[in-house]
Coordinates of all heavy atoms in Angstrom, one line a residue:
V842 N -2.8 -21.8 3.2 CA -3.6 -20.8 3.9 C -2.9 -20.3 5.1 O -2.0 -21.0 5.6 CB -5.0 -21.3 4.3 CG1 -5.9 -21.7 3.1 CG2 -4.9 -22.5 5.2
Y843 N -3.2 -19.1 5.5 CA -2.6 -18.5 6.7 C -3.7 -18.4 7.7 O -4.7 -17.7 7.5 CB -2.0 -17.2 6.3 CG -1.2 -16.5 7.5 CD1 -0.2 -17.2 8.1 CD2 -1.5 -15.2 7.8 CE1 0.5 -16.6 9.1 CE2 -0.7 -14.6 8.8 CZ 0.3 -15.3 9.5 OH 1.0 -14.6 10.5
V844 N -3.5 -19.0 8.9 CA -4.5 -18.9 10.0 C -3.9 -18.0 11.0 O -2.8 -18.1 11.5 CB -4.7 -20.3 10.6 CG1 -5.8 -20.2 11.7 CG2 -5.1 -21.3 9.5
E845 N -4.7 -16.9 11.3 CA -4.2 -15.8 12.2 C -5.2 -15.5 13.3 O -6.5 -15.8 13.1 CB -4.0 -14.6 11.3 CG -3.3 -13.4 11.9 CD -3.1 -12.4 10.8 OE1 -4.1 -11.9 10.2 OE2 -1.9 -12.0 10.6
D846 N -4.7 -15.0 14.4 CA -5.6 -14.5 15.4 C -6.5 -13.4 14.9 O -6.1 -12.6 14.1 CB -4.8 -14.0 16.6 CG -4.6 -15.0 17.7 OD1 -5.6 -15.8 17.9 OD2 -3.6 -15.0 18.4
G847 N -7.8 -13.3 15.5 CA -8.6 -12.2 15.2 C -8.2 -11.0 15.8 O -7.2 -11.0 16.7
C848 N -8.8 -9.9 15.5 CA -8.3 -8.6 16.0 C -9.5 -7.7 16.3 O -10.5 -7.6 15.5 CB -7.4 -7.9 14.9 SG -6.7 -6.4 15.4
D849 N -9.5 -6.9 17.4 CA -10.5 -6.0 17.7 C -10.2 -4.6 17.1 O -9.5 -3.8 17.6 CB -10.5 -5.9 19.3 CG -11.9 -5.3 19.8 OD1 -12.8 -5.1 18.9 OD2 -12.0 -5.1 21.0
I850 N -10.8 -4.4 15.9 CA -10.4 -3.3 15.1 C -11.3 -2.0 15.4 O -12.5 -2.1 15.5 CB -10.6 -3.6 13.6 CG1 -9.7 -4.8 13.2 CG2 -10.3 -2.4 12.7 CD1 -10.0 -5.4 11.8
E851 N -10.6 -0.9 15.6 CA -11.2 0.4 15.7 C -11.2 1.2 14.4 O -12.2 1.7 14.0 CB -10.5 1.2 16.8 CG -11.2 2.5 17.1 CD -10.6 3.2 18.3 OE1 -11.0 2.8 19.5 OE2 -9.8 4.1 18.1
R852 N -10.1 1.2 13.7 CA -10.0 1.9 12.4 C -9.1 1.1 11.5 O -8.2 0.4 11.9 CB -9.3 3.3 12.6 CG -10.1 4.3 13.4 CD -9.4 5.6 13.6 NE -9.1 6.2 12.3 CZ -8.1 7.1 12.0 NH1 -7.3 7.4 13.0 NH2 -8.0 7.6 10.8
E853 N -9.4 1.2 10.2 CA -8.6 0.7 9.1 C -8.0 1.8 8.3 O -8.7 2.6 7.8 CB -9.5 -0.2 8.2 CG -10.0 -1.5 8.9 CD -10.6 -2.5 7.9 OE1 -10.7 -2.1 6.7 OE2 -11.0 -3.6 8.3
L854 N -6.6 1.7 8.2 CA -5.9 2.7 7.4 C -5.1 2.0 6.3 O -5.1 0.8 6.1 CB -4.9 3.4 8.4 CG -5.4 3.9 9.7 CD1 -4.3 4.4 10.6 CD2 -6.4 5.0 9.5
Y855 N -4.4 2.8 5.5 CA -3.6 2.3 4.4 C -2.2 2.9 4.5 O -2.0 4.1 4.8 CB -4.2 2.7 3.0 CG -3.3 2.3 1.9 CD1 -3.5 1.0 1.3 CD2 -2.4 3.1 1.4 CE1 -2.7 0.6 0.2 CE2 -1.5 2.8 0.3 CZ -1.7 1.5 -0.3 OH -0.9 1.1 -1.3
L856 N -1.2 2.0 4.2 CA 0.2 2.5 4.3 C 1.0 1.7 3.3 O 0.9 0.5 3.3 CB 0.7 2.3 5.7 CG 2.2 2.8 6.0 CD1 2.3 4.3 5.9 CD2 2.6 2.4 7.4
S857 N 1.9 2.4 2.6 CA 2.8 1.7 1.7 C 4.1 2.5 1.5 O 4.1 3.7 1.7 CB 2.2 1.4 0.3 OG 2.0 2.6 -0.4
L858 N 5.2 1.7 1.2 CA 6.4 2.3 0.8 C 6.8 1.8 -0.6 O 6.6 0.7 -0.9 CB 7.6 1.9 1.8 CG 7.5 2.3 3.2 CD1 8.7 1.7 4.0 CD2 7.4 3.8 3.4
L859 N 7.3 2.7 -1.4 CA 7.7 2.3 -2.7 C 8.8 3.2 -3.2 O 9.1 4.3 -2.7 CB 6.6 2.3 -3.7 CG 5.7 3.5 -3.9 CD1 6.3 4.5 -4.8 CD2 4.3 3.2 -4.3
V860 N 9.6 2.8 -4.2 CA 10.6 3.6 -4.8 C 10.0 4.4 -5.9 O 9.4 3.9 -6.9 CB 11.7 2.7 -5.4 CG1 12.8 3.5 -6.1 CG2 12.4 1.8 -4.3
D861 N 10.2 5.8 -5.8 CA 9.7 6.7 -6.8 C 10.9 7.1 -7.7 O 11.8 7.8 -7.3 CB 9.2 8.0 -6.1 CG 8.5 8.9 -7.1 OD1 8.8 8.9 -8.3 OD2 7.6 9.7 -6.6
R862 N 10.8 6.6 -9.0 CA 11.9 6.8 -9.9 C 12.0 8.3 -10.3 O 13.1 8.8 -10.7 CB 11.7 6.0 -11.1 CG 11.9 4.5 -10.9 CD 11.8 3.7 -12.1 NE 12.0 2.2 -11.9 CZ 11.1 1.4 -11.6 NH1 9.9 1.8 -11.4 NH2 11.4 0.1 -11.4
V863 N 10.9 9.1 -10.2 CA 10.9 10.5 -10.6 C 11.7 11.3 -9.6 O 12.6 12.1 -10.0 CB 9.5 11.0 -10.7 CG1 9.5 12.5 -11.0 CG2 8.7 10.3 -11.8
T864 N 11.5 11.1 -8.3 CA 12.2 11.8 -7.3 C 13.4 11.2 -6.7 O 14.2 11.8 -6.0 CB 11.2 12.1 -6.1 OG1 10.8 10.8 -5.5 CG2 10.0 12.8 -6.5
S865 N 13.6 9.9 -7.1 CA 14.8 9.1 -6.6 C 14.7 9.0 -5.1 O 15.7 9.0 -4.4 CB 16.1 9.7 -7.0 OG 16.2 9.6 -8.4
C866 N 13.5 8.9 -4.6 CA 13.2 8.8 -3.1 C 12.4 7.6 -2.8 O 11.8 7.0 -3.7 CB 12.5 10.1 -2.6 SG 13.5 11.6 -2.6
V867 N 12.4 7.3 -1.5 CA 11.4 6.3 -1.1 C 10.2 7.1 -0.7 O 10.2 8.0 0.1 CB 11.9 5.5 0.2 CG1 10.9 4.6 0.7 CG2 13.2 4.7 -0.2
T868 N 9.0 6.7 -1.3 CA 7.8 7.5 -1.1 C 6.9 6.7 -0.1 O 6.6 5.5 -0.4 CB 7.1 7.8 -2.4 OG1 7.9 8.6 -3.2 CG2 5.8 8.5 -2.1
V869 N 6.4 7.4 0.9 CA 5.4 6.8 1.8 C 4.0 7.3 1.3 O 3.8 8.5 1.1 CB 5.6 7.3 3.2 CG1 4.6 6.6 4.2 CG2 7.0 7.0 3.7
I870 N 3.1 6.3 1.1 CA 1.8 6.7 0.7 C 0.9 6.2 1.8 O 0.9 5.1 2.3 CB 1.4 5.9 -0.6 CG1 2.3 6.4 -1.7 CG2 -0.1 6.2 -1.0 CD1 2.1 5.7 -3.0
A871 N 0.0 7.1 2.3 CA -0.8 6.8 3.5 C -2.2 7.3 3.2 O -2.4 8.3 2.4 CB -0.3 7.4 4.7
C872 N -3.2 6.7 3.8 CA -4.6 7.1 3.7 C -5.4 6.7 4.9 O -5.2 5.6 5.5 CB -5.2 6.5 2.4 SG -6.9 7.0 2.1
Q873 N -6.3 7.6 5.3 CA -7.1 7.3 6.5 C -8.2 6.2 6.2 O -8.8 5.7 7.1 CB -7.8 8.5 7.0 CG -6.8 9.5 7.7 CD -7.5 10.6 8.5 OE1 -8.6 10.4 9.0 NE2 -6.9 11.8 8.5
E874 N -8.4 6.0 4.9 CA -9.5 5.0 4.5 C -8.8 3.8 3.9 O -8.7 3.7 2.7 CB -10.5 5.7 3.6 CG -11.2 6.9 4.2 CD -12.2 7.5 3.3 OE1 -12.7 6.8 2.3 OE2 -12.6 8.7 3.5
G875 N -8.4 2.9 4.7 CA -7.8 1.6 4.2 C -8.8 0.6 4.0 O -10.0 0.8 4.2
G876 N -8.4 -0.6 3.6 CA -9.3 -1.8 3.5 C -9.4 -2.1 2.0 O -8.7 -1.8 1.2
M877 N -10.5 -2.9 1.7 CA -10.7 -3.5 0.4 C -11.0 -2.5 -0.7 O -10.9 -2.7 -1.8 CB -11.8 -4.5 0.5 CG -11.5 -5.8 1.3 SD -12.7 -7.1 1.1 CE -14.1 -6.4 2.0
D878 N -11.5 -1.2 -0.3 CA -11.9 -0.3 -1.3 C -10.9 0.9 -1.5 O -11.2 1.9 -2.0 CB -13.2 0.3 -0.9 CG -14.4 -0.7 -0.8 OD1 -14.4 -1.6 -1.7 OD2 -15.1 -0.6 0.1
I879 N -9.6 0.6 -1.2 CA -8.6 1.7 -1.4 C -8.5 2.1 -2.8 O -8.2 3.3 -3.1 CB -7.2 1.2 -0.8 CG1 -6.2 2.3 -0.8 CG2 -6.7 0.0 -1.6 CD1 -6.5 3.5 0.0
E880 N -8.7 1.2 -3.8 CA -8.6 1.7 -5.2 C -9.7 2.7 -5.5 O -9.4 3.6 -6.3 CB -8.7 0.4 -6.1 CG -7.5 -0.5 -6.1 CD -7.6 -1.6 -5.1 OE1 -8.6 -1.5 -4.3 OE2 -6.7 -2.5 -5.0
E881 N -10.9 2.5 -5.0 CA -12.0 3.4 -5.2 C -11.7 4.7 -4.6 O -12.0 5.8 -5.1 CB -13.3 2.8 -4.7 CG -13.8 1.6 -5.4 CD -15.0 1.0 -4.8 OE1 -15.7 1.7 -4.1 OE2 -15.3 -0.2 -5.1
V882 N -11.1 4.7 -3.4 CA -10.8 6.0 -2.7 C -9.8 6.8 -3.5 O -9.9 8.0 -3.7 CB -10.2 5.7 -1.3 CG1 -9.7 7.0 -0.7 CG2 -11.3 5.0 -0.4
A883 N -8.7 6.1 -4.0 CA -7.7 6.7 -4.8 C -8.3 7.3 -6.1 O -7.8 8.4 -6.5 CB -6.6 5.7 -5.2
A884 N -9.3 6.6 -6.7 CA -9.8 7.1 -8.0 C -10.8 8.3 -7.7 O -10.8 9.2 -8.5 CB -10.5 5.9 -8.7
S885 N -11.6 8.1 -6.7 CA -12.7 9.1 -6.5 C -12.3 10.3 -5.6 O -12.8 11.4 -5.7 CB -14.0 8.4 -5.9 OG -13.7 7.9 -4.7
S886 N -11.4 10.1 -4.7 CA -11.0 11.1 -3.7 C -9.5 11.1 -3.6 O -8.9 10.9 -2.5 CB -11.7 10.9 -2.4 OG -13.1 10.8 -2.5

């Protein structure tokens, strides 16, 4: 297990980097609605 300090959160966002084989670029994916429901956000909005 990982034991970590708590955090005073104001907003939760989403951020990722990955290799896009189509563009041969590093693609940054970001969203203002991060957290546990990011898959639902991607599917519905």
Side-chain angles (χ1 to χ4, degrees):
V842 295
Y843 186 52
V844 183
E845 188 175 57
D846 262 328
C848 183
D849 200 2
I850 300 171
E851 184 173 279
R852 293 179 63 203
E853 291 190 357
L854 312 172
Y855 175 88
L856 182 65
S857 68
L858 298 179
L859 53 85
V860 177
D861 188 333
R862 292 183 177 88
V863 175
T864 61
S865 298
C866 290
V867 176
T868 297
V869 183
I870 300 175
C872 181
Q873 292 194 29
E874 298 182 23
M877 292 189 291
D878 298 319
I879 185 62
E880 290 89 353
E881 293 178 20
V882 173
S885 61
S886 306

